[in-house]
Each structure stands twice: as structure tokens, then as C-alpha cells.
Amino acid sequence: MFVLQRMASTTGLLLHPPLVRPISPNVSTPRFFLAVATQFAGNRDKSLFHRKKANGFSTSIAVATDSSAPSIPTQNEDLVDTHKEESEKIVLPTNESSEKLLRIRHSCAHVMAMAVQKLFPDAKVTIGPWIENGFYYDFDMEPLGDKDLKKIKKEMERIISRNLPLVREEVSRDEAQRRIEAINEPYKMEILESIKEDPITIFHIGNEWWDLCAGPHVESTGKINKRAVELETVAGAYWRGDEKNPMLQRIYGTAWETEEQLKAYLHFKEEAKRRDHRRLGKDLDLFSIQDDAGGGLVFWHPKGAVVRSIIEDLWKKLHRERGYDLLYTPHVAKAALWKTSGHSDFYSENMYNQMDVEDELYQLRPMNCPYHILFYKRRLTSYQDFPIRVAELGTVYRYELSGSLHGLFRVRGFTQDDAHIFCLDDQIKDEIRGVLDLTEELLLQFGFNKFEVNLSTRPPKSVGNDEIWEKATCALKDALSDKGWGYQIDEGGGAFYGPKIDIKIEDALGRKWQCSTIQVDFNLPQRFDITYVNSNSEKKRPIMIHRAVLGSLERFFGILIENYAGDFPLWLSPIQVRVLPVTDAQLPYCKEVTEKLRAIGVRAEVCQGERLPKLIRNAETQKIPLMAVVGAKEVETRTVTVRSRFGGEIGTITVDDFAGRIKFASENRTPF
């Protein structure tokens, strides 16, 4: 992780929300957590998150680093010094940094399973692993509710208080089978059949309960701090993740080493909940997913569409400046195209069914790549034409199970900021460097200045010869070195058709999101037999580079909503100004002011029908950055009294001055 530049909105949390919902695609697990437990027990006003008077949401918090974590730059020292008197530093370890925590969480899963079967004797157990922020266990049983969770938690506390030993035992496969049959646990029998090693390992809690398990665990239940354990939620989960199998009850829990760590985690969880893009999307009228249309299909409402338009316009501008040609291509194609590309063979489970059109099969596109290749193939290409860069905001459709859909983060139809570069072998480095520069420039516009970069190399099974793999991998490394970006190597983690760079951004809560990908491809040029004519008039195969910066507009919008907690900066806010009359007598002038602002591109609206205090409160609730209050005096002097959501009352200024300051702030991405 590295910081590109120092920004006012720097924050220090590196926690991730609990697994109480379908996991968002490509959201990484932080390697370690940083958290601050506030002294809210004695003073509720000493909040963890300190609001700044800036045109955007920012936070300042004290942080502490985990010395055993990978080397990652620490936060701004000024932030640590500013608030160290208000906040108590607490390090939240991870499963990777603390074996003790891992043992606690794994043992908690077993204790919970024992508690469930004590309270619900007919419940059948399946699996119960530790996970990022805690643990879970799946049960085949009747649906559970909140009251049931409270009963289970109390029973867990009793088991912990008894300080029962956790004892490891090794038995033969036949003995394990006999014991499983004796207690009638069919899922355990299936698990036993999947275990290839002998002997079979069993862990006992006292002499009362046991489970197939390789460990590790704490020595006894008393090693678990019962005040640092919490049951969070119940969710449905198919056995083995297969919708054809029975639906199980999955109970999620979190466990920490100390009560203070749990409090810090729960506090962070509440903040993440406050920023949930699904709730904010509804409250701010940004987007919706309509049941009548179908799950995973996004409706962009007018306000959300404004933000999307700003993102698209900026994206197009930067791409044109960097030599990309923009394309628009069809949403469907003949099924034969997807056969040629290999998607029908290797990606069919993510594709929608084929449709018959005049006795020919067509299919919705899951990717844009084949279309860009067809564009390349439309004419003969010379080596002198390279590099060729094409880009498209292309909507694709991918089948997702209804249970995996999640707001804007997991949908069935979405728009990728897709681009492909066709180039020569010796141009790979410069083209990759150009993509890195574009990625930095675009993401910085939205306030993302902390990146984690991973370079994935050749896997055991791959296409392409050793020489081209070595050349491409070295080009990626050289481009990253030229850029001055640190990176981690994922040995063997590349796709079978080429090495790649993945870039994760860090949001205001420290969560890492996979957005940008740069992928060298040796496969599709071969499958589509694309060529160029070299200086000797010979046909050769070009290099193809896939790349996306934002990932998809839907998902990136969701990240933006949560990053800003819906408080978009002035330049990005769907409504920049709300003009508020003191009485209806000022309405004509309010409309005149609004029209003048709109004429220069300011997004303004008039709001009326309530008393002024209510109008101001409504604007605050809707997170409008600026309010222009108009009374009789303002009409007489041809002015407005400006109130900022973040800075309070600014004063009375002329409409021209007001408009000019908004325009300047928007164009320069600065506060008003």
C-alpha cells in the first residue's frame, strides 16, 4: 500500500465489515486492521469520526499499526498527534498476524455448534471455519431468529465459563465412520468421505461434544474472553454452495482477544452500516433495483444519472487526451462469436441462454473483448499503425444467483470501462506505463490516493512460449518500477493467457476495493487469428492488452457513495445548490437566480412549500452542499445569503459572485 499524495480526507481505519451478507466481488481482505476505540463510555461527544469543514466528508483519527503486518506506509503523523488525547489507540489483529486470535475464532465456531445442539437437539452440523472478522457455522435446522441468537449466545457463555478442555484425538477412518453413524450426522459422513488423509483428526470439547477437525484450537474454553464474542446474524446458505442442495442456517459471529477490540470493531461496523450504499441510494434517490424488472438490474434515477454522466464525461475526456478511440458496440452477438472467443466453453455458467433469431443463435454479451477484436480485424494493419487503443463504456450481462446479488456491487447488467490496446512486443512497457498514468490521474480525481498493487505471474498451465511470457512479465515490472510504485508478486497467479497487474484502492474506511486491472493476453489474438504486416511484409501476431480503470460504473458508484457517505464533493454532487425562499413572495427572484446558475452549468433547484428552517433541514438531510437563502433584503439588493452544509453560514454575496465561486470550485475540485 502506498499513498500518492497527501490529502485532507486521509483516514486510518483498516477494518472490513463482517460477513453478514453476500460478499462483494473483488473486495479485498485487509492484511491487518487499524482501529481506534473512542472513550465514548465517559464522553459520548468524543466521536471516532471528526467532521471537517470541507466540501466533502473527511475524517481524522488516531491510528496504531501492527508491527507484525506487512510493510505499509503509516498514516499522516499530524492526524495521530492531533487527536491522541481524545482517542485510545487499539490494534485489531487479524488471523494472519495473531495465531491466538485464529485459535479463538476457530474454537468459538465449535463452542457455538455445541451450544446450538444443546438447545436444538435435532440440528445437524456441517462446517464451521474461522473467517476474516470472526467465524460461522452452518446447520441443517429450522429457521432461527434474533431471540434464538440470544439464547445461543448465553449457552456459549456457559460453556466458556466451564473452562472445558479442547482435546485432539486421532482415530481410524472406520472408527470415525462408526462414531458419525452413531450420532446420525449425514453431513459429517459426507465430509469424512472427502478427507483423503489418515488418520482422522477429531477435537472434543470436554466429554460432551466432538467434531471432525484438524485444528488449531485454544487449550480450553476458558481461554476465550466471553465479553469479546458476539453473534451477529443468521443467513441462508446452500450446502456446498450448490443451490440444488438443502438450504442451511448459517450463524455468523465475531470474536476478538479483548472486549476493547470488540467495541472498536462494532463501532466501525456501525459506521460502515451508516455508509451502506443501498440505504443511501434509497434515501438520496440515486438508484433502485425494481423487483418487477428483475434482480440485479439497476435503475439510475435522475440524481444518480447526473453523477454517472460526470464520471463518463471525465472518463471520455481523459481517454481522448491519451490517444484512445472510443467505440460503441452491440449488446448481443451470434453464439458462434462466443465459441470462437472461448467464452462458451469456459464461461458459460455466467452467460444467459441463447436466443433464436431467424434460425440463428444469438447471445447477450458477457464481455466486450471479442467486439474490439472484430473492430481490429476490419482491415489490414501495418506495424506502423501501432499502438492501437480502443475504449468503450460497454454494458455486459452476466448471470448471478439471486442470493449473491448485492446492491450495486453484484449485479446482472453493468457497464465496464473497458479498453484494449494492440501493440508490438517492444511497446508493452510503454503502453503499460501509460495505463498506470491514466489510472492514477483518473482515480485521484475522485479522491483515491492509496493503492495496493499486485503483479500476477505465469501459472503452471498457460498458453504462449517462455520468451513472450518472460518479455511481458518483465515489461510489467519495468513499467511499475518506472512509475515508482511498489508492488507484491503473486507467483503463478496470472491468467493462463498472460500476466496481469491488479490495483486496489482504499476508501475512507480503509477497505480495499479491486477496481483496476491490466492484463496481457496471448490467447485471444491466437483464437481470432489477428495479425499485422511487419517491415518485411510478413504476417505477425500482435500483443493484446485488456485494461479497466474503474471496473464498472455501477460498482464504482457504489464505492463512491460509501466513500463519501453520500456527501459528494461540490463538483460531483448531483444538486450543487438549493435556492430557498423565506416566503413565497421571493419565489420569482429565486427562479431567476436558479436559471442564472443553470445557464453557466451549475446544478441548482428551487425548493418551497415549507418554513425556512424545515427547508434548510431537508437540504441538509439530502446532503445538498450549498443553500442560497432569499428574503426580502436579498431581492432588494440582488444578492443571496449562502449557507454551506459543511461550513455553516458564509454570508451575503451577489449572484454573479456566487455563481463564479461555484464554477471555480467545481472546475478545480476545491471546496466552495
Side-chain angles (χ1 to χ4, degrees):
M1 175 66 66
F2 55 92
V3 182
L4 294 177
Q5 66 179 33
R6 188 166 170 173
M7 301 184 69
S9 60
T10 303
T11 59
L13 282 177
L14 273 178
L15 271 157
H16 198 63
L19 302 176
V20 296
R21 61 191 185 189
I23 305 304
S24 307
N26 298 323
V27 181
S28 75
T29 301
R31 294 180 181 274
F32 64 99
F33 297 160
L34 302 178
V36 182
T38 54
Q39 299 169 348
F40 51 85
N43 184 353
R44 295 289 295 185
D45 293 330
K46 291 185 179 179
S47 171
L48 175 62
F49 295 88
H50 303 280
R51 292 284 295 276
K52 281 190 175 183
K53 292 182 178 180
N55 200 20
F57 184 86
S58 67
T59 62
S60 299
I61 57 179
V63 300
T65 60
D66 183 344
S67 61
S68 66
S71 177
I72 297 178
T74 57
Q75 299 298 313
N76 189 327
E77 292 297 327
D78 294 338
L79 296 181
V80 176
D81 294 338
T82 301
H83 298 292
K84 64 183 178 183
E85 292 183 0
E86 292 190 38
S87 302
E88 176 188 352
K89 298 178 185 178
I90 290 184
V91 176
L92 291 189
T94 68
N95 299 327
E96 290 78 15
S97 68
S98 172
E99 184 179 350
K100 176 184 176 182
L101 180 63
L102 186 149
R103 289 174 178 271
I104 287 171
R105 289 174 170 172
H106 196 187
S107 301
C108 279
H110 283 229
V111 170
M112 181 175 70
M114 177 177 173
V116 167
Q117 291 200 306
K118 277 183 172 290
L119 296 171
F120 305 93
D122 293 334
K124 302 299 181 184
V125 292
T126 61
I127 57 171
W130 69 84
I131 53 176
E132 180 186 345
N133 293 331
F135 58 93
Y136 73 78
Y137 211 110
D138 289 346
F139 303 92
D140 190 348
M141 61 186 301
E142 293 299 313
L144 296 167
D146 290 340
K147 291 183 179 179
D148 297 315
L149 287 188
K150 291 178 181 178
K151 293 178 183 177
I152 296 167
K153 176 65 179 356
K154 286 183 179 180
E155 184 61 35
M156 288 178 67
E157 291 174 353
R158 284 192 283 269
I159 295 170
I160 292 170
S161 297
R162 292 171 61 194
N163 197 24
L164 298 172
L166 278 86
V167 180
R168 185 176 186 271
E169 180 188 11
E170 291 184 354
V171 300
S172 68
R173 184 173 297 273
D174 290 342
E175 175 61 16
Q177 182 174 340
R178 185 190 67 77
R179 294 188 189 184
I180 293 171
E181 289 174 346
I183 59 175
N184 188 27
E185 289 285 3
Y187 296 98
K188 287 300 177 186
M189 189 64 73
E190 188 173 332
I191 292 170
L192 177 63
E193 292 171 357
S194 67
I195 298 174
K196 304 303 180 185
E197 300 83 10
D198 287 313
I200 305 301
T201 306
I202 288 174
F203 265 88
H204 298 262
I205 300 180
N207 295 317
E208 303 175 28
W209 192 88
W210 61 270
D211 198 357
L212 296 175
C213 185
H217 289 287
V218 295
E219 295 173 0
S220 67
T221 59
K223 298 292 185 181
I224 300 169
N225 185 341
K226 62 184 179 184
R227 295 183 180 276
V229 178
E230 193 69 54
L231 296 187
E232 297 185 291
T233 190
V234 180
Y238 292 111
W239 171 238
R240 302 287 196 187
D242 189 338
E243 61 182 333
K244 297 177 182 178
N245 288 334
M247 174 69 78
L248 307 174
Q249 294 291 292
R250 175 171 294 179
I251 304 177
Y252 285 105
T254 188
W256 300 90
E257 296 171 354
T258 67
E259 185 178 3
E260 290 73 24
Q261 290 176 1
L262 175 63
K263 286 180 178 178
Y265 166 75
L266 294 176
H267 186 85
F268 172 85
K269 187 176 139 185
E270 284 303 309
E271 177 61 17
K273 182 179 178 181
R274 185 181 74 84
R275 292 167 177 260
D276 192 312
H277 75 281
R278 295 167 298 177
R279 180 183 65 81
L280 289 171
K282 181 179 180 180
D283 292 347
L284 302 178
D285 198 22
L286 299 172
F287 73 91
S288 65
I289 295 173
Q290 303 288 334
D291 289 340
D292 289 344
L297 303 173
V298 181
F299 285 69
W300 293 76
H301 296 189
K303 290 181 181 178
V306 167
V307 179
R308 173 170 176 158
S309 178
I310 295 170
I311 296 171
E312 288 184 351
D313 290 346
L314 177 60
W315 186 90
K316 291 175 182 177
K317 174 179 177 293
L318 293 179
H319 279 75
R320 288 193 182 102
E321 290 174 356
R322 292 184 175 273
Y324 285 82
D325 291 317
L326 302 186
L327 302 179
Y328 293 95
T329 58
H331 291 213
V332 297
K334 293 179 179 179
L337 181 68
W338 308 112
K339 186 69 175 176
T340 301
S341 69
H343 288 96
S344 295
D345 295 325
F346 304 109
Y347 203 71
S348 59
E349 69 275 9
N350 298 106
M351 298 174 68
Y352 287 96
N353 291 338
Q354 298 174 353
M355 61 189 87
D356 190 313
V357 180
E358 296 180 345
D359 296 326
E360 197 159 20
L361 295 177
Y362 283 73
Q363 207 159 9
L364 285 169
R365 66 175 175 187
M367 305 275 190
N368 300 304
C369 325
Y371 294 87
H372 294 187
I373 292 174
L374 293 182
F375 170 79
Y376 174 89
K377 289 187 69 175
R378 78 194 189 283
R379 61 178 174 81
L380 188 65
T381 301
S382 164
Y383 71 98
Q384 295 175 318
D385 297 326
F386 293 119
I388 297 172
R389 309 183 189 104
V390 293
E392 177 179 13
L393 292 169
T395 301
V396 298
Y397 304 89
R398 297 180 187 173
Y399 175 69
E400 299 282 356
L401 293 173
S402 59
S404 68
L405 299 175
H406 178 65
L408 297 175
F409 293 156
R410 196 77 176 242
V411 294
R412 287 172 170 161
F414 55 93
T415 301
Q416 289 183 308
D417 71 316
D418 217 352
H420 294 90
I421 300 169
F422 302 91
C423 64
L424 304 175
D425 294 5
D426 58 6
Q427 293 174 329
I428 297 176
K429 174 189 168 184
D430 290 341
E431 289 305 307
I432 297 297
R433 173 60 194 269
V435 174
L436 295 176
D437 290 341
L438 173 59
T439 298
E440 177 183 14
E441 183 176 7
L442 186 55
L443 293 177
L444 281 176
Q445 298 283 339
F446 298 99
F448 297 111
N449 70 326
K450 299 177 185 178
F451 297 165
E452 179 182 290
V453 181
N454 293 283
L455 172 62
S456 300
T457 60
R458 188 177 189 176
K461 294 183 178 180
S462 61
V463 297
N465 59 49
D466 294 345
E467 181 183 356
I468 191 61
W469 267 93
E470 179 65 22
K471 193 168 188 176
T473 303
C474 288
L476 267 60
K477 290 179 179 179
D478 290 345
L480 287 168
S481 297
D482 259 14
K483 185 67 179 167
W485 285 5
Y487 59 92
Q488 297 176 0
I489 294 182
D490 178 12
E491 292 289 355
F496 74 91
Y497 48 83
K500 66 174 180 173
I501 294 172
D502 290 319
I503 301 173
K504 297 174 183 176
I505 60 174
E506 183 180 308
D507 71 6
L509 292 187
R511 296 171 298 184
K512 297 174 188 176
W513 302 86
Q514 171 69 56
C515 285
S516 310
T517 298
I518 307 167
Q519 171 79 62
V520 179
D521 187 350
F522 311 132
N523 179 51
L524 286 183
Q526 182 176 333
R527 294 185 74 99
F528 280 90
D529 192 26
I530 63 173
T531 59
Y532 69 92
V533 178
N534 70 6
S535 58
N536 297 321
S537 298
E538 300 169 331
K539 285 192 174 183
K540 296 291 183 180
R541 191 90 64 209
I543 295 294
M544 181 179 181
I545 301 172
H546 306 258
R547 48 114 294 203
V549 177
L550 305 180
S552 80
L553 296 185
E554 287 76 8
R555 186 165 167 276
F556 188 71
F557 186 40
I559 294 171
L560 284 177
I561 294 171
E562 297 200 0
N563 182 63
Y564 290 116
D567 273 318
F568 296 109
L570 181 63
W571 72 275
L572 195 56
S573 181
I575 302 296
Q576 296 174 303
V577 181
R578 185 170 281 182
V579 184
L580 309 176
V582 175
T583 69
D584 287 349
Q586 289 87 48
L587 268 177
Y589 179 66
C590 287
K591 292 178 180 178
E592 181 184 332
V593 170
T594 303
E595 289 173 3
K596 191 167 187 177
L597 292 173
R598 287 177 175 173
I600 64 166
V602 175
R603 298 182 292 278
E605 65 180 15
V606 179
C607 196
Q608 63 185 92
E610 302 281 357
R611 293 174 63 85
L612 182 61
K614 181 68 178 296
L615 292 176
I616 292 174
R617 282 197 301 274
N618 289 345
E620 291 276 352
T621 301
Q622 287 297 302
K623 304 182 188 295
I624 308 297
L626 296 170
M627 289 156 272
V629 179
V630 174
K633 183 179 179 181
E634 284 78 12
V635 174
E636 181 182 346
T637 57
R638 312 297 288 175
T639 59
V640 292
T641 297
V642 181
R643 181 182 181 87
S644 167
R645 170 164 164 73
F646 303 100
E649 190 164 322
I650 292 175
T652 302
I653 57 178
T654 66
V655 177
D656 287 340
D657 188 19
F658 184 44
R661 288 179 62 180
I662 297 173
K663 194 74 172 172
F664 178 85
S666 297
E667 290 174 352
N668 293 278
R669 313 285 196 265
T670 59
F672 179 78

